[in-house]
Amino acid sequence: MATRDQDAPVSSGGTGVLVREGTYGSRVLEVEPGGAEFIPLNERHGRPLQLFWTWSSPNMEFATIFVGVLAVAGFGLGFWEAALALVLGSAIGGITQGFLSLRGPKYGVPQMVLSRLGFGYWGNALPAGLNAVTAGIGWFAVNSVSGALALNVLTHMPQVLCLIIIVAVQLVVAFFGYNLVHVFERYAFPILTVIFLIAAGVILSKAHPGATHHTIPGAFLLTFGASFGYAVGWNPYASDYTRYFKPDTSKAGIAWWSGAGLFISCAVLEVVGAAVGTAVGANNALAGPGGMTSLLATPLADLTLLAIALGAVSANVLNIYSGALSFTAIGIKLPLAARRAIVALGFGIIGFFLAWSGLHDAGTKYENFLLIIAYWIAPWLAVYFCDLLLRRNPEENLLFSTKRENWAGPVAMLVGMGISIWLFSNQTKYVGLVPTHIPSAGDLTFEAGFVITAVVYLGWHAIAKTGRETTLSA
């Protein structure tokens, strides 16, 4: 693993390791070449601490706060019940983020290339394609709306103009690539932290934790699922931001800083969102950033709106960068040195028009989106972790052979998704069989999807006596 120190093409038989061409190093204002290929050792740099702000800054935005707002103003939970569900969902997402980040330095490839171990080369088009769409287009649109609405409230400029400004900044950072993304998150971190901590203190002081509430059936599980969906939405990007690290980088440092950055930022701001839901009326809370900032004095409110816009940009430079990586990991050959950067621009344009259409009625769409994210990521995680259990130390060539198959992965994932959505989905577009008859069941789709997928995947390989191969010659 991680033995190549210079560019090398894939072998003629399609079984070698495809190494990213060009030179990049630690230069910031240079477009990162290549796509989802192996990063050679002479290009490796970085340290685990940077993962803390890389995974903290993107969550310091209104989209994170709105998860907590939904728990109270949308689902009707009391403050303390909401806080518990939000913390639990964020904790699970943070733990899985730490584990997933560990393989980046060892294998030097993005998360969706590592996913080929459990899905095979072409079967991996299922999760890689889903991630490309949900990250590069879906999450990009969600966060662009959040940032545009904040900028609109702050400046009173037309919403569309605010959206154009937000999208343009995001595209510039994502176009340049990995190094500029890390630098942007680093310098955004202290600004966002100071403003949000002050705003959080004021909002929590005005919260009404004991306020009466009218909880809808299954609200705790709906909140848990939404919080998990938000945090775990970053999981398919995990090794994208550790693949440039040297192979001997501290594993404990990688797991701790990535997991802690994600968990702390999500949990704290979601709980602040729950406090907003208790302090203002449901309609005002769900209306957008204005409901939150109405609790703040004008100077602090303006700074908070600016921070919300900056946080949205911080989130989307990761979304569009990783979305583009996932697209190149599908296996579609793009004979362009700047293929990742070009794909990022394309996704940004599509995401802009989707965000434009979502400037109104964002709340309901966001709730559905969070749950849908969890619906597919939980089964994907089940395949990934089950394969990790079976295949402890696979060689790099398993990741790049176009002839390697592992149809247990996509089949198990589709079965897990299909059955769990049919039985347990609980959102405005579709209510499954169980919550239709037992509303208190909430939404158990991601939990059921994980278990069903794991059983199918492990059962498949147990019957076929496969799944433990660590090299193509085995």
Side-chain angles (χ1 to χ4, degrees):
M1 271 62 71
T3 57
R4 296 170 181 263
D5 59 3
Q6 58 185 3
D7 291 25
V10 67
S11 67
S12 59
T15 61
V17 175
L18 188 62
V19 180
R20 198 215 67 209
E21 73 272 29
T23 57
Y24 182 53
S26 58
R27 291 184 291 275
V28 174
L29 294 179
E30 181 171 322
V31 177
E32 178 189 6
E37 301 83 17
F38 175 89
I39 305 301
L41 296 186
N42 59 359
E43 293 275 298
R44 303 295 186 92
H45 60 279
R47 54 196 179 117
L49 177 60
Q50 71 191 57
L51 296 172
F52 186 73
W53 50 72
T54 296
W55 295 117
S56 294
S57 297
N59 295 308
M60 295 187 198
E61 55 158 343
F62 189 71
T64 314
I65 294 167
F66 201 67
V67 178
V69 171
L70 275 174
V72 174
F75 304 149
L77 278 177
F79 176 79
W80 296 113
E81 290 176 287
L84 178 59
L86 296 167
V87 169
L88 287 175
S90 299
I92 296 175
I95 291 169
T96 52
Q97 185 79 359
F99 277 113
L100 290 167
S101 299
L102 292 176
R103 275 183 160 179
K106 181 177 182 180
Y107 289 95
V109 294
Q111 195 65 54
M112 279 298 146
V113 172
L114 288 169
S115 179
R116 292 172 182 167
L117 292 170
F119 289 84
Y121 190 89
W122 295 113
N124 191 56
L126 172 63
L130 283 170
N131 195 50
V133 172
T134 56
I137 299 176
W139 270 121
F140 183 84
V142 167
N143 290 312
S144 294
V145 168
S146 172
L149 291 177
L151 194 59
N152 166 253
V153 175
L154 176 64
T155 65
H156 305 292
M157 292 189 298
Q159 289 183 349
V160 174
L161 177 58
C162 293
L163 182 63
I164 291 172
I165 293 171
I166 292 292
V167 169
V169 175
Q170 293 165 167
L171 286 180
V172 169
V173 178
F175 182 81
F176 276 94
Y178 181 90
N179 291 332
L180 184 56
V181 168
H182 274 300
V183 169
F184 185 89
E185 305 298 351
R186 177 182 180 181
Y187 286 101
F189 176 73
I191 300 171
L192 294 169
T193 300
V194 170
I195 294 174
F196 274 117
L197 281 178
I198 296 172
V202 174
I203 291 170
L204 290 171
S205 72
K206 296 183 178 182
H208 303 289
T212 58
H213 52 90
H214 303 283
T215 306
I216 67 172
F220 184 89
L221 289 172
L222 284 169
T223 300
F224 176 53
S227 177
F228 171 79
Y230 187 89
V232 85
W234 299 113
N235 281 186
Y237 312 179
S239 71
D240 298 2
Y241 303 95
T242 61
R243 75 193 200 281
Y244 273 87
F245 290 178
K246 295 180 179 179
D248 60 356
T249 303
S250 168
K251 290 185 177 180
I254 290 172
W256 167 253
W257 291 118
S258 56
L262 180 59
F263 166 68
I264 294 172
S265 56
C266 286
V268 170
L269 289 188
E270 287 171 9
V271 171
V272 170
V276 172
T278 70
V280 301
N283 290 336
N284 288 335
L286 294 169
M292 170 188 172
T293 54
S294 66
L295 296 168
L296 307 172
T298 300
L300 180 56
D302 289 345
L303 285 173
T304 303
L305 288 168
L306 183 63
I308 289 172
L310 178 61
V313 174
S314 295
N316 268 351
V317 296
L318 266 64
N319 286 322
I320 197 165
Y321 177 82
S322 287
L325 280 181
S326 294
F327 182 83
T328 60
I330 291 174
I332 300 172
K333 302 298 183 183
L334 298 175
L336 302 168
R339 50 191 167 274
R340 177 211 50 80
I342 299 299
V343 171
L345 286 180
F347 278 1
I349 293 170
I350 297 171
F352 166 77
F353 286 105
L354 182 61
W356 191 359
S357 71
L359 285 172
H360 305 288
D361 190 30
T364 300
K365 294 177 181 178
Y366 186 45
E367 172 194 336
N368 292 338
F369 182 68
L370 287 173
L371 293 172
I372 290 171
I373 289 288
Y375 291 174
W376 80 261
I377 292 184
W380 169 76
L381 283 173
V383 171
Y384 187 91
F385 284 128
C386 286
D387 190 81
L388 182 63
L389 180 67
L390 294 176
R391 200 190 318 270
R392 295 300 180 88
N393 196 33
E395 294 185 0
E396 294 164 341
N397 55 15
L398 291 179
L399 300 172
F400 293 96
S401 172
T402 58
K403 298 178 181 179
R404 180 179 171 271
E405 299 176 349
N406 188 2
W407 293 109
V411 170
M413 181 173 169
L414 287 172
V415 171
M417 289 173 60
I419 294 177
S420 62
I421 292 172
W422 169 57
L423 289 177
F424 298 104
S425 176
N426 190 357
Q427 54 164 299
T428 58
K429 297 298 183 182
Y430 173 74
V431 179
L433 192 64
V434 173
T436 296
H437 295 89
I438 311 173
S440 60
D443 192 313
L444 293 168
T445 309
F446 87 79
E447 296 94 332
F450 185 94
V451 173
I452 294 168
T453 301
V455 169
V456 174
Y457 187 81
L458 293 175
W460 176 306
H461 283 301
I463 293 171
K465 293 181 171 52
T466 54
R468 297 183 182 276
E469 303 86 0
T470 59
T471 182
L472 291 175
S473 60

